[in-house]
């Protein structure tokens, strides 16, 4: 089976983890702090706080920025549900924004449309742009809108560590940027996540919130607010440090490799390939097939031929819990189309041109027959 993607862990990571297991310092420790410093250096940002997952990063960002009951938060409809779950979990309400069918990201025009048609009683006070599949969202446009409407900006860069917009790392434009180290993401620590920010007070709040509300100011330990346990383990920190060193090379490999799919699928009737945006890191390569094809059938035939593919991301409004909001957002169109017609193809820096050619060739055969 050609898997959708494979975590890329080698002896170095295994040995680093073993060393931590033998040391006896398993929970948050020096390796996490070093990992934080190295991520901060890589992103060129002042503070990084590592946490237990990308979801924890989003949840804590909203709390640290004071978003809760009475607030409304702009979110893309096309994303992984964690983006929107975090909004619900703090008692705020989501305001759904449609995405661009070429980049799969929200656009300034769509954000403004959502702001101007919002009729809820909650005040729109934040936005969570997602850098979907490693594609940098238009942070120039988004930051301008945020300034105009006084919005907090929480970047969901779960899939986009290393992606850049105008030569600047995504995650570093907003009040906070959230990353995930789940095995499907660009680097992995098993589970894990990180939050970056340039604001000292936000970083301090995040550190307390992830660690039971503990503050160690003035040499004494105090529990100054009700916090969570969203800590990353020292074992994960040690693994992450090694993964991070490999990331620049992996991003280059992905940028080269994705051209194999582009060449094979570009001129194919009924297939749309993802737009090549400057600074994209290609965590996922998702195509869209036209409505003349039954997408789920194509995925299952690929599977029969030993190729694992998947839907790319969800339309959140199409999910059971969120259907209650669907009638409020009649303009959401492309997100649903991408959810119903998108196919994420096997893609990983360890794959070669030959593997991708096999996948592309099989896909072409299947589409010809299904037409
Ligand atoms: C993976 C992902 C998350 C959640 O990250 P976890 O580490 O799995 O909690 C959030 N948002 C997006 C866009 C993601 O792709």
């Amino acid at each position: 089976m050609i898997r959708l993607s494979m975590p890329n862990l080698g002896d170095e990571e295994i040995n680093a983890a073993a060393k931590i297991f033998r040391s006896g310092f398993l929970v948050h420790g020096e390796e996490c702090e070093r990992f934080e410093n190295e991520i901060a250096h890589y992103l060129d940002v002042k503070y990084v706080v590592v946490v237990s997952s990308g979801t924890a990063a989003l949840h804590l960002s909203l709390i640290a920025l004071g978003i809760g009951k009475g607030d409304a938060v702009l979110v893309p409809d096309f994303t992984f549900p964690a983006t929107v779950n975090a909004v619900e979990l703090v008692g705020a309400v989501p305001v759904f924004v449609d995405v661009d069918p070429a980049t799969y990201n929200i656009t300034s025009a769509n954000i403004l449309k959502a702001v101007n048609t919002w009729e809820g009683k909650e005040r729109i006070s934040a936005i969570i742009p997602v850098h979907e599949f490693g594609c940098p969202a238009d942070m120039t446009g988004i930051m301008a809108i945020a300034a105009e409407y006084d919005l907090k900006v929480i970047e969901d860069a779960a899939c986009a560590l290393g992606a850049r917009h105008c030569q600047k790392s995504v995650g570093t434009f907003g009040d906070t940027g959230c990353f995930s180290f789940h095995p499907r993401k660009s680097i992995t620590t098993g589970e894990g996540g990180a939050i970056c920010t340039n604001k000292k007070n936000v970083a301090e709040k995040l550190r307390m919130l992830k660690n039971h509300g503990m503050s160690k100011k003035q040499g004494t330990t105090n529990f100054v607010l009700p916090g969570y346990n969203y800590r990353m383990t020292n074992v994960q920190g040690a693994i992450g440090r090694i993964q991070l060193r490999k990331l620049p090379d992996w991003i280059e490999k992905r940028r080269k490799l994705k051209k194999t799919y582009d060449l094979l699928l570009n001129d194919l009737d009924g297939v749309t390939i993802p737009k090549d945006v400057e600074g994209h890191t290609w965590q996922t390569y998702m195509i869209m097939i036209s409505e003349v094809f039954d997408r789920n059938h194509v995925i299952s035939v690929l599977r029969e031929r030993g190729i694992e593919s998947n839907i790319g991301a969800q339309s959140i409004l199409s999910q059971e819990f969120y259907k209650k909001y669907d009638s409020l957002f009649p303009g959401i169109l492309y997100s649903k189309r991408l959810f119903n017609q998108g196919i994420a193809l096997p893609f990983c820096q360890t794959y070669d041109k030959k593997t991708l050619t096999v996948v592309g060739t099989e896909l072409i055969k299947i589409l010809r027959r299904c037409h």
Side-chain angles (χ1 to χ4, degrees), residues 6-135:
M6 287 290 281
N8 205 193
L9 293 158
D11 286 340
E12 277 181 285
E13 285 88 342
I14 292 164
N15 293 337
K19 204 169 137 195
I20 302 301
F21 281 122
R22 291 195 186 98
S23 78
F25 293 98
L26 299 186
V27 296
H28 187 92
E30 276 179 14
E31 290 296 315
C32 292
E33 279 155 32
R34 289 189 189 124
F35 188 30
E36 287 178 343
N37 292 336
E38 287 160 10
I39 298 169
H41 179 76
Y42 177 66
L43 296 175
D44 191 18
V45 69
K46 280 194 188 140
Y47 309 100
V48 169
V49 179
V50 290
V51 289
S52 52
S53 71
T55 306
L58 290 163
H59 190 201
L60 291 192
S61 290
L62 286 163
I63 297 170
L65 296 169
I67 306 300
K69 231 177 146 58
D71 292 315
V73 181
L74 293 154
V75 290
D77 183 49
F78 188 68
T79 182
F80 186 70
T83 313
V84 192
N85 288 346
V87 173
E88 288 283 337
L89 286 171
V90 299
V93 296
V95 178
F96 291 93
V97 180
D98 204 3
V99 295
D100 176 348
T103 65
Y104 316 150
N105 282 333
I106 53 172
T107 60
S108 295
N110 290 349
I111 296 165
L112 288 173
K113 206 187 297 167
V115 169
N116 292 326
T117 52
W118 174 244
E119 289 177 346
K121 59 186 186 313
E122 297 84 358
R123 181 186 176 270
I124 298 181
S125 37
I127 180 165
I128 311 183
V130 175
H131 305 286
E132 193 62 58
F133 304 147
C135 180

